[in-house]
Short mmCIF file of all heavy atoms in Angstrom, two decimals:
data_model
loop_
_atom_site.label_atom_id
_atom_site.label_comp_id
_atom_site.label_asym_id
_atom_site.label_seq_id
_atom_site.Cartn_x
_atom_site.Cartn_y
_atom_site.Cartn_z
N GLU A 560 27.32 -10.01 6.74
CA GLU A 560 27.46 -9.04 5.66
C GLU A 560 28.36 -7.91 5.98
O GLU A 560 28.43 -7.43 7.09
CB GLU A 560 26.07 -8.62 5.21
CG GLU A 560 26.13 -7.62 3.97
CD GLU A 560 24.70 -7.35 3.44
OE1 GLU A 560 23.77 -8.13 3.66
OE2 GLU A 560 24.59 -6.32 2.71
N ILE A 561 28.93 -7.29 5.00
CA ILE A 561 29.62 -6.07 5.00
C ILE A 561 28.95 -5.20 4.08
O ILE A 561 28.74 -5.42 2.90
CB ILE A 561 31.13 -6.23 4.63
CG1 ILE A 561 31.92 -7.03 5.68
CG2 ILE A 561 31.81 -4.83 4.52
CD1 ILE A 561 33.24 -7.29 5.31
N GLU A 562 28.59 -3.95 4.58
CA GLU A 562 27.97 -2.88 3.75
C GLU A 562 28.81 -1.62 3.79
O GLU A 562 29.26 -1.25 4.89
CB GLU A 562 26.56 -2.55 4.27
CG GLU A 562 25.55 -3.70 4.09
CD GLU A 562 24.26 -3.36 4.83
OE1 GLU A 562 24.11 -2.42 5.63
OE2 GLU A 562 23.28 -4.15 4.73
N ALA A 563 28.97 -1.08 2.66
CA ALA A 563 29.67 0.24 2.57
C ALA A 563 28.79 1.18 1.72
O ALA A 563 28.27 0.80 0.64
CB ALA A 563 31.08 0.07 1.95
N SER A 564 28.64 2.40 2.17
CA SER A 564 27.86 3.36 1.35
C SER A 564 28.49 4.77 1.56
O SER A 564 29.12 5.11 2.48
CB SER A 564 26.45 3.37 1.86
OG SER A 564 26.30 3.86 3.24
N ALA A 565 28.11 5.62 0.50
CA ALA A 565 28.51 7.01 0.45
C ALA A 565 27.42 7.79 -0.12
O ALA A 565 26.95 7.40 -1.16
CB ALA A 565 29.86 7.21 -0.28
N THR A 566 27.05 8.83 0.60
CA THR A 566 26.01 9.82 0.05
C THR A 566 26.58 11.18 0.20
O THR A 566 26.98 11.57 1.23
CB THR A 566 24.72 9.62 0.82
OG1 THR A 566 24.28 8.32 0.77
CG2 THR A 566 23.61 10.53 0.11
N ALA A 567 26.65 11.91 -0.85
CA ALA A 567 27.29 13.27 -0.76
C ALA A 567 26.65 14.24 -1.71
O ALA A 567 26.29 13.98 -2.83
CB ALA A 567 28.78 13.14 -1.15
N ASN A 568 26.45 15.49 -1.16
CA ASN A 568 26.27 16.67 -1.96
C ASN A 568 27.66 17.30 -2.07
O ASN A 568 28.06 18.14 -1.29
CB ASN A 568 25.25 17.65 -1.26
CG ASN A 568 23.94 16.98 -1.04
OD1 ASN A 568 23.46 16.18 -1.91
ND2 ASN A 568 23.35 17.28 0.12
N LEU A 569 28.43 16.82 -3.14
CA LEU A 569 29.83 17.34 -3.28
C LEU A 569 29.84 18.87 -3.45
O LEU A 569 30.71 19.56 -2.91
CB LEU A 569 30.47 16.63 -4.42
CG LEU A 569 30.51 15.10 -4.31
CD1 LEU A 569 31.11 14.54 -5.63
CD2 LEU A 569 31.44 14.78 -3.15
N THR A 570 28.86 19.35 -4.14
CA THR A 570 28.60 20.86 -4.25
C THR A 570 27.07 20.97 -4.31
O THR A 570 26.33 19.95 -4.30
CB THR A 570 29.23 21.49 -5.48
OG1 THR A 570 28.56 20.95 -6.65
CG2 THR A 570 30.78 21.13 -5.60
N ASP A 571 26.60 22.20 -4.44
CA ASP A 571 25.11 22.50 -4.63
C ASP A 571 24.68 21.78 -5.89
O ASP A 571 23.52 21.55 -6.10
CB ASP A 571 24.85 23.94 -4.60
CG ASP A 571 25.06 24.58 -3.18
OD1 ASP A 571 25.04 23.80 -2.28
OD2 ASP A 571 25.19 25.86 -3.15
N ASP A 572 25.56 21.63 -6.93
CA ASP A 572 25.18 21.06 -8.15
C ASP A 572 25.61 19.73 -8.50
O ASP A 572 25.35 19.20 -9.53
CB ASP A 572 25.67 22.06 -9.22
CG ASP A 572 25.34 23.51 -9.04
OD1 ASP A 572 24.10 23.77 -8.97
OD2 ASP A 572 26.25 24.34 -8.83
N TRP A 573 26.35 19.07 -7.59
CA TRP A 573 26.92 17.71 -7.89
C TRP A 573 26.62 16.82 -6.70
O TRP A 573 27.07 17.07 -5.63
CB TRP A 573 28.50 17.82 -8.15
CG TRP A 573 29.04 16.54 -8.60
CD1 TRP A 573 28.39 15.48 -9.07
CD2 TRP A 573 30.46 16.19 -8.69
NE1 TRP A 573 29.40 14.51 -9.37
CE2 TRP A 573 30.59 15.00 -9.18
CE3 TRP A 573 31.68 16.97 -8.34
CZ2 TRP A 573 31.82 14.35 -9.32
CZ3 TRP A 573 32.87 16.36 -8.55
CH2 TRP A 573 32.99 15.11 -8.94
N LYS A 574 25.77 15.78 -6.98
CA LYS A 574 25.42 14.87 -6.00
C LYS A 574 25.83 13.41 -6.33
O LYS A 574 25.88 13.11 -7.55
CB LYS A 574 23.87 14.99 -5.72
CG LYS A 574 23.46 16.38 -5.44
CD LYS A 574 21.95 16.43 -5.42
CE LYS A 574 21.51 17.86 -5.25
NZ LYS A 574 21.80 18.84 -6.44
N LEU A 575 26.01 12.65 -5.35
CA LEU A 575 26.55 11.27 -5.51
C LEU A 575 26.04 10.26 -4.52
O LEU A 575 26.00 10.68 -3.29
CB LEU A 575 28.05 11.22 -5.69
CG LEU A 575 28.79 9.96 -5.88
CD1 LEU A 575 30.04 10.21 -6.70
CD2 LEU A 575 29.14 9.28 -4.52
N ILE A 576 25.67 9.04 -4.97
CA ILE A 576 25.41 8.02 -4.05
C ILE A 576 26.19 6.79 -4.51
O ILE A 576 26.19 6.44 -5.71
CB ILE A 576 23.94 7.70 -3.91
CG1 ILE A 576 23.23 7.55 -5.25
CG2 ILE A 576 23.27 8.74 -3.07
CD1 ILE A 576 21.75 7.21 -5.06
N ALA A 577 26.70 5.99 -3.58
CA ALA A 577 27.39 4.68 -3.90
C ALA A 577 27.28 3.72 -2.85
O ALA A 577 27.13 4.09 -1.74
CB ALA A 577 28.90 4.99 -4.18
N SER A 578 27.23 2.44 -3.20
CA SER A 578 27.04 1.42 -2.11
C SER A 578 27.63 0.09 -2.63
O SER A 578 27.73 -0.15 -3.90
CB SER A 578 25.58 1.19 -1.82
OG SER A 578 24.92 0.54 -2.88
N TYR A 579 28.00 -0.69 -1.72
CA TYR A 579 28.49 -2.12 -1.96
C TYR A 579 28.05 -2.97 -0.72
O TYR A 579 28.13 -2.63 0.35
CB TYR A 579 29.93 -2.23 -2.06
CG TYR A 579 30.47 -3.61 -2.07
CD1 TYR A 579 30.36 -4.43 -3.18
CD2 TYR A 579 31.13 -4.19 -0.95
CE1 TYR A 579 30.77 -5.76 -3.21
CE2 TYR A 579 31.50 -5.53 -0.95
CZ TYR A 579 31.32 -6.28 -2.09
OH TYR A 579 31.74 -7.64 -2.12
N SER A 580 27.51 -4.12 -1.16
CA SER A 580 27.11 -5.18 -0.14
C SER A 580 27.58 -6.51 -0.43
O SER A 580 27.53 -6.98 -1.56
CB SER A 580 25.48 -5.21 -0.08
OG SER A 580 25.00 -3.94 0.21
N TRP A 581 28.21 -7.15 0.54
CA TRP A 581 28.68 -8.48 0.47
C TRP A 581 27.98 -9.25 1.60
O TRP A 581 28.00 -9.00 2.75
CB TRP A 581 30.14 -8.63 0.65
CG TRP A 581 30.59 -10.18 0.87
CD1 TRP A 581 30.65 -11.07 -0.13
CD2 TRP A 581 30.85 -10.80 2.03
NE1 TRP A 581 31.02 -12.30 0.36
CE2 TRP A 581 31.15 -12.17 1.75
CE3 TRP A 581 30.93 -10.42 3.34
CZ2 TRP A 581 31.50 -13.11 2.72
CZ3 TRP A 581 31.29 -11.34 4.33
CH2 TRP A 581 31.55 -12.67 3.94
N ASN A 582 27.09 -10.36 1.10
CA ASN A 582 26.22 -10.96 2.09
C ASN A 582 26.54 -12.52 1.98
O ASN A 582 26.32 -13.13 0.95
CB ASN A 582 24.82 -10.76 1.65
CG ASN A 582 23.78 -11.28 2.85
OD1 ASN A 582 24.27 -11.90 3.73
ND2 ASN A 582 22.55 -10.95 2.72
N ASN A 583 27.04 -13.02 3.06
CA ASN A 583 27.26 -14.45 3.24
C ASN A 583 25.90 -15.07 3.92
O ASN A 583 25.88 -15.25 5.11
CB ASN A 583 28.44 -14.73 4.04
CG ASN A 583 28.73 -16.26 4.16
OD1 ASN A 583 28.19 -17.11 3.41
ND2 ASN A 583 29.54 -16.74 5.18
N LEU A 584 25.01 -15.35 3.07
CA LEU A 584 23.76 -15.90 3.48
C LEU A 584 23.71 -17.42 3.53
O LEU A 584 24.12 -17.94 2.48
CB LEU A 584 22.54 -15.36 2.60
CG LEU A 584 21.13 -15.37 3.14
CD1 LEU A 584 20.97 -14.43 4.35
CD2 LEU A 584 20.15 -15.03 2.10
N GLU A 585 23.29 -17.97 4.69
CA GLU A 585 23.46 -19.47 4.81
C GLU A 585 22.23 -20.06 5.43
O GLU A 585 21.72 -19.53 6.49
CB GLU A 585 24.73 -19.82 5.55
CG GLU A 585 24.96 -21.33 5.73
CD GLU A 585 26.21 -21.57 6.57
OE1 GLU A 585 27.20 -20.84 6.22
OE2 GLU A 585 26.15 -22.47 7.39
N THR A 586 21.77 -21.18 4.94
CA THR A 586 20.71 -21.98 5.64
C THR A 586 21.56 -22.82 6.71
O THR A 586 22.02 -23.87 6.38
CB THR A 586 19.91 -22.83 4.68
OG1 THR A 586 19.31 -22.15 3.77
CG2 THR A 586 18.95 -23.71 5.47
N SER A 587 21.60 -22.41 7.94
CA SER A 587 22.42 -23.07 8.91
C SER A 587 21.80 -24.21 9.61
O SER A 587 22.45 -25.08 10.12
CB SER A 587 22.86 -21.95 9.98
OG SER A 587 21.75 -21.18 10.46
N LYS A 588 20.49 -24.28 9.69
CA LYS A 588 19.69 -25.39 10.11
C LYS A 588 18.46 -25.68 9.21
O LYS A 588 17.77 -24.79 8.95
CB LYS A 588 19.12 -25.17 11.64
CG LYS A 588 20.29 -25.09 12.60
CD LYS A 588 19.65 -24.87 14.04
CE LYS A 588 20.70 -24.74 15.07
NZ LYS A 588 20.19 -24.51 16.38
N THR A 589 18.23 -26.93 8.89
CA THR A 589 17.05 -27.32 8.08
C THR A 589 16.94 -28.87 8.03
O THR A 589 17.93 -29.51 8.34
CB THR A 589 17.24 -26.84 6.55
OG1 THR A 589 16.12 -27.11 5.85
CG2 THR A 589 18.53 -27.42 5.94
N THR A 590 15.77 -29.32 7.72
CA THR A 590 15.49 -30.74 7.58
C THR A 590 15.42 -31.05 6.04
O THR A 590 15.19 -32.20 5.73
CB THR A 590 14.23 -31.13 8.23
OG1 THR A 590 13.13 -30.31 7.70
CG2 THR A 590 14.27 -30.91 9.70
N VAL A 591 15.54 -30.04 5.16
CA VAL A 591 15.53 -30.23 3.79
C VAL A 591 16.86 -30.91 3.27
O VAL A 591 17.94 -30.32 3.53
CB VAL A 591 15.33 -29.04 2.85
CG1 VAL A 591 15.35 -29.26 1.45
CG2 VAL A 591 13.92 -28.41 3.39
#
Side-chain angles (χ1 to χ4, degrees):
E560 182 171 337
I561 294 175
E562 293 172 352
S564 66
T566 307
N568 299 323
L569 299 174
T570 68
D571 290 341
D572 306 301
W573 187 12
K574 306 174 184 66
L575 178 145
I576 51 176
S578 71
Y579 170 74
S580 304
W581 170 76
N582 190 355
N583 181 19
L584 197 65
E585 179 183 320
T586 302
S587 46
K588 293 181 182 178
T589 184
T590 56
V591 179

